[in-house]
Amino acid sequence: MPIYIAIFCVLPLLAGLIPEYLVCRFTRRKWWKVLPPLAVAAITALVTAGRLSVWESDVSPVTQLLFVPGVPAAFALLGTLLGWRLWKRLWGPRVVKDRRGG
């Protein structure tokens, strides 16, 4: 069971988090920040198109399409969101409150 969690959850999460953080950290253009989520969507579409042959087999196609491209894609997109939030938290401007009595 832990190997399934690693393959279907942790690896896609890291595969989304690391590129998103690096793109946000080292690029200056805003449109570059859209590339990791678009890459995740494109890879998910390619895997789904490749797995459409499952519809013709005896195995339940809904579960096959849900678990193979669905769960890893959701975790990869969550990873891109977490990568963006990590970058924002570490490198974004901070509001400092003045402790003087005003």
Side-chain angles (χ1 to χ4, degrees), residues 29-58:
R29 301 191 192 278
K30 287 186 177 186
W31 60 272
W32 277 83
K33 295 174 185 161
V34 179
L35 288 180
L38 287 179
V40 168
I43 291 170
T44 302
L46 288 173
V47 170
T48 303
R51 305 256 323 158
L52 284 178
S53 64
V54 174
W55 287 96
E56 298 168 359
S57 71
D58 294 334

Side-chain angles (χ1 to χ4, degrees), residues 7-87:
I7 290 173
F8 288 114
C9 301
V10 176
L11 288 177
L13 185 81
L14 291 175
L17 187 140
I18 293 169
E20 181 70 23
Y21 175 78
L22 292 176
V23 164
C24 289
R25 174 69 177 98
F26 294 115
T27 60
R28 299 283 182 211
R29 301 191 192 278
K30 287 186 177 186
W31 60 272
W32 277 83
K33 295 174 185 161
V34 179
L35 288 180
L38 287 179
V40 168
I43 291 170
T44 302
L46 288 173
V47 170
T48 303
R51 305 256 323 158
L52 284 178
S53 64
V54 174
W55 287 96
E56 298 168 359
S57 71
D58 294 334
V59 182
S60 174
V62 174
T63 58
Q64 293 295 316
L65 290 175
L66 175 69
F67 288 119
V68 175
V71 172
F75 275 95
L77 287 173
L78 178 66
T80 59
L81 175 69
L82 291 176
W84 177 77
R85 292 293 301 158
L86 178 67
W87 168 77

